[in-house]
Amino acid sequence: MESTSVRTAPEVSGGLPGIGHGAEFLRDPIRLLERGYREHGRVFSLRMGPRRAVVLLGPEHHQFFFRETDRRLSIRTAYPFFVRMFDERFYFFAGMDEYQRQRALVVPRFQGKQLAGYVDIMTDETRKLMRDLGDRGEFDLVHTLGPLVMRIAARSFLGEDFSRRMGDDFFAEFRRFSDGMEVVLPLWLPLPRLLRSRRARADLHAKLGALIAERRRTPIEPPDFLQTLVESRYADPPAGESGEVPVDVLVNLLLLFAWAGHETTTGHISWALIDLLRNPHEIDALRAEQAEQIGGDLDGAGLDDYRKLRRMDWALHETERLHPVAYILMRSAAVDIEHAGISIPKGTMVMVAPAVAHRLPEIFPEPDRFLPDRFAGQEELPSLIGFGGGLHRCLGMHFAYLEMRVVLSLLLATYDFELVDTDPKPVAGPKTKWPASPCRVRYRARQRVTSPL
C-alpha cells in the first residue's frame, strides 16, 4: 500500500483539456519549464497530451536520474524518435549486453593519444576557414561554424578520403536528418520535416555503407579512426556469432559521431563566442593565458598545450551552463517509482532540464551572469549536465571541448570580433538550442604581419 507521505508531483498551470501543455511546449519549452520552477520549485509535472511528465531539477535529483538509467528509468522508451533516426538494436537502444559491446568499440577512440591525433585536423580546418574569411568581413556564426564543425567531424571520424569528396550539402544533409527529433507529436504524422529526415537517413546510410565497404576492400595505412572501427571485432560476441561487427552497427556509430559532433558543438561554440564578445575582458584574459602557456605559434600546439588553457575551459563550462544546447534530457519510468516523496507511475516521462537547473541561484550565485571564474579549481563538475551524466555521459565530450579550445584559440589570436546582432536568442520551439539566425559577427585581422591569411 502506497505511503500517505507520497504525493503526486504538482502540475504546472496552463494545461489545456486533451493536449495538456503540449502546444506550449512546442512553442517555448524553456519558458514552460521556468514557470514550473517558479510555481513549484525543483519537482513538478507537465501533461504532454495523454502522457504525464515529471521534471526534476538540482544535483540530488540528477544523481537519481542518471543512477537509475537502464534500471528503473528507461532511455530506450524515452526517445522513440531516435529509434526512427538510428535503429532499435543500436547503442543504448539495444539491450545492455549489446550496448556494452558497441560502447567498447569506441571508448578507446576518445581517450589519451587518440585525442592528440585530432589536433592537427582541427587546426588545419580552422586555418582553411580563416583563409576563406580573409582579413575582414562579416559572417553568421551558425552558418559558418556549423560547416567547420562538420568538416572536422567528417575528417576525424570518416577519414581524409571521404572528407575530400564531401560536398557542400553534407552539412545541410545532417540538418535534414536532425529534423527527425520530435518530442511531442506522433512520429507517424506525414510532416514534411519528418519525411525529410527519413530521406536524409536513407541517403546517409547509403553513403556510409559504401564507405565501409570501400575500406574493407582497400584498407589504408596507417589506420585512421574509420579504418580502426571497420576492422574492430566484438571482444565478447553474442553466442554463435563470429565477432565481426555488422555493417548497420558501424553505419549507425559513424552517423551518431558525425551527427552528435556537429549538433552539440555547433551550438556550444557559437554561444561561447557570443558570451566572450559580450564580456571582452574575458577575451583579454584568454589571450594572456594563451601567450603565457603556448606562445605566439599555435600551428605547433598539441594536446598537452591546449590542456593548459584552464581559463578557456572555465569559459566553455560557463557557456555550457548558460546555454546548454540539449535543454532537456528524458527517460521513461519502467516501473512504479517513489522518489523524494513523489509518486512516479510506470510509463511516466521523467525529465531533467539543464536550461533551468543550470540557473538555480542556490547552486549558481548570480545565475544569469557570465562568470567563468566560478569553475576555478573544480576538476569534477557534477552540477553541469549539458553533456548528460552517468553511464550515458557523452563519449565525445572531451573531443568537443578540445575542438572548441583549438578553434576559439585560433580565431581569437587572429581576429578582433564584434557582434552585429547584439541580442541573440535561441531558436524557437523544441529544437536543439543553437543561436537563431541571423547571428552575425564582424571581424578584422588583429596583426597583419602575423596573420596566417
Side-chain angles (χ1 to χ4, degrees):
M1 184 173 180
E2 189 174 272
S3 168
T4 56
S5 63
V6 177
R7 60 193 178 94
T8 301
E11 185 175 306
V12 181
S13 64
L16 299 175
I19 62 173
H21 300 91
E24 185 177 358
F25 189 93
L26 287 172
R27 290 194 305 271
D28 195 340
I30 294 179
R31 184 177 177 181
L32 173 63
L33 294 166
E34 289 173 340
R35 189 170 81 248
Y37 170 66
R38 288 195 304 271
E39 291 178 358
H40 303 294
R42 295 194 190 184
V43 180
F44 55 87
S45 67
L46 309 170
R47 282 185 294 115
M48 310 292 278
R51 200 171 184 188
R52 185 170 292 274
V54 171
V55 181
L56 305 173
L57 304 174
E60 71 279 13
H61 297 308
H62 300 161
Q63 289 172 13
F64 159 79
F65 182 87
F66 295 119
R67 184 181 66 246
E68 291 297 331
T69 296
D70 298 323
R71 297 175 181 173
R72 293 187 293 168
L73 294 177
S74 169
I75 196 170
R76 298 183 66 194
T77 55
Y79 291 103
F81 59 87
F82 274 147
V83 175
R84 288 284 190 102
M85 292 172 66
F86 294 96
D87 188 277
E88 64 182 5
R89 297 163 298 172
F90 170 62
Y91 215 51
F92 44 65
F93 307 119
M96 179 55 68
D97 289 346
E98 179 62 20
Y99 168 63
Q100 295 284 19
R101 290 187 192 100
Q102 294 180 25
R103 183 180 171 87
L105 297 176
V106 296
V107 166
R109 308 270 66 81
F110 294 101
Q111 295 177 336
K113 292 181 180 179
Q114 298 297 326
L115 279 178
Y118 302 127
V119 174
D120 287 345
I121 293 173
M122 296 166 180
T123 301
D124 187 51
E125 290 297 334
T126 307
R127 291 291 187 195
K128 288 178 183 177
L129 170 64
M130 293 193 296
R131 285 195 291 272
D132 291 340
L133 291 177
D135 278 346
R136 65 179 65 194
E138 184 177 295
F139 64 80
D140 185 279
L141 284 172
V142 167
H143 293 167
T144 299
L145 296 181
L148 170 63
V149 168
M150 177 55 70
R151 286 192 295 271
I152 290 171
R155 193 168 157 189
S156 298
F157 305 139
L158 305 179
E160 296 275 359
D161 47 350
F162 185 84
S163 180
R164 284 194 298 271
R165 300 196 304 265
M166 185 177 71
D168 293 338
D169 190 52
F170 197 64
F171 176 72
E173 187 93 81
F174 270 84
R175 295 310 307 142
R176 292 190 286 272
F177 177 67
S178 295
D179 281 340
M181 298 173 65
E182 175 54 61
V183 177
V184 178
L185 299 176
L187 296 174
W188 51 261
L189 289 175
L191 300 176
R193 57 187 176 79
L194 296 181
L195 297 175
R196 285 194 301 269
S197 177
R198 291 168 199 164
R199 288 193 294 268
R201 178 187 186 275
D203 188 55
L204 289 167
H205 269 252
K207 289 177 180 176
L208 295 178
L211 180 61
I212 291 168
E214 181 181 332
R215 285 296 190 90
R216 283 183 164 170
R217 287 192 306 269
T218 313
I220 67 166
E221 289 291 342
D224 57 8
F225 178 101
L226 175 61
Q227 192 64 47
T228 303
L229 190 64
V230 166
E231 294 174 357
S232 61
R233 299 176 69 83
Y234 287 142
D236 179 25
E241 296 189 14
S242 66
E244 183 175 78
V245 183
V247 171
D248 62 335
V249 170
L250 295 175
V251 167
N252 276 307
L253 285 171
L254 293 171
L255 189 57
L256 175 66
F257 298 144
W259 172 76
H262 101 279
E263 187 72 18
T264 302
T265 308
T266 295
H268 195 155
I269 197 170
S270 298
W271 282 118
L273 192 51
I274 291 167
D275 286 336
L276 290 169
L277 293 177
R278 287 168 159 173
N279 298 271
H281 62 284
E282 295 292 347
I283 295 179
D284 294 338
L286 292 182
R287 286 172 174 157
E289 178 187 59
Q290 180 179 296
E292 177 184 351
Q293 298 294 340
I294 302 179
D297 182 15
L298 292 179
D299 281 328
L303 176 62
D304 290 340
D305 296 303
Y306 281 108
R307 280 176 168 167
K308 298 174 185 176
L309 301 182
R310 303 307 302 157
R311 292 200 67 85
M312 177 69 80
D313 268 358
W314 303 343
L316 292 170
H317 291 324
E318 186 69 337
T319 290
E320 179 186 342
R321 185 186 71 80
L322 285 169
H323 308 287
V325 177
Y327 62 96
I328 58 168
L329 305 172
M330 299 184 295
R331 305 289 187 265
S332 177
V335 296
D336 292 341
I337 299 171
E338 293 180 10
H339 169 68
I342 295 295
S343 171
I344 304 176
K346 180 180 178 179
T348 301
M349 292 296 298
V350 181
M351 301 179 180
V352 295
V356 181
H358 284 182
R359 298 197 187 213
L360 295 175
E362 61 271 32
I363 308 297
F364 299 102
E366 299 184 88
D368 298 326
R369 292 187 61 194
F370 182 74
L371 299 173
D373 282 354
R374 73 171 80 239
F375 294 108
Q378 296 188 39
E379 295 299 324
E380 300 292 330
L381 303 170
S383 53
L384 287 185
I385 56 170
F387 284 85
L391 180 62
H392 295 295
R393 189 173 182 83
C394 177
L395 276 179
M397 181 182 71
H398 296 299
F399 178 94
Y401 262 79
L402 175 60
E403 178 180 5
M404 291 187 287
R405 286 189 209 112
V406 172
V407 173
L408 287 174
S409 294
L410 287 163
L411 290 176
L412 294 176
T414 305
Y415 296 112
D416 286 318
F417 293 94
E418 63 175 308
L419 282 171
V420 176
D421 302 290
T422 57
D423 189 24
K425 303 293 184 185
V427 293
K431 297 181 179 180
T432 305
K433 293 304 177 185
W434 292 5
S437 293
C439 183
R440 295 162 294 174
V441 295
R442 189 173 294 119
Y443 62 93
R444 180 172 182 170
R446 299 186 66 221
Q447 295 180 11
R448 189 65 182 92
V449 292
T450 60
S451 171
L453 310 178

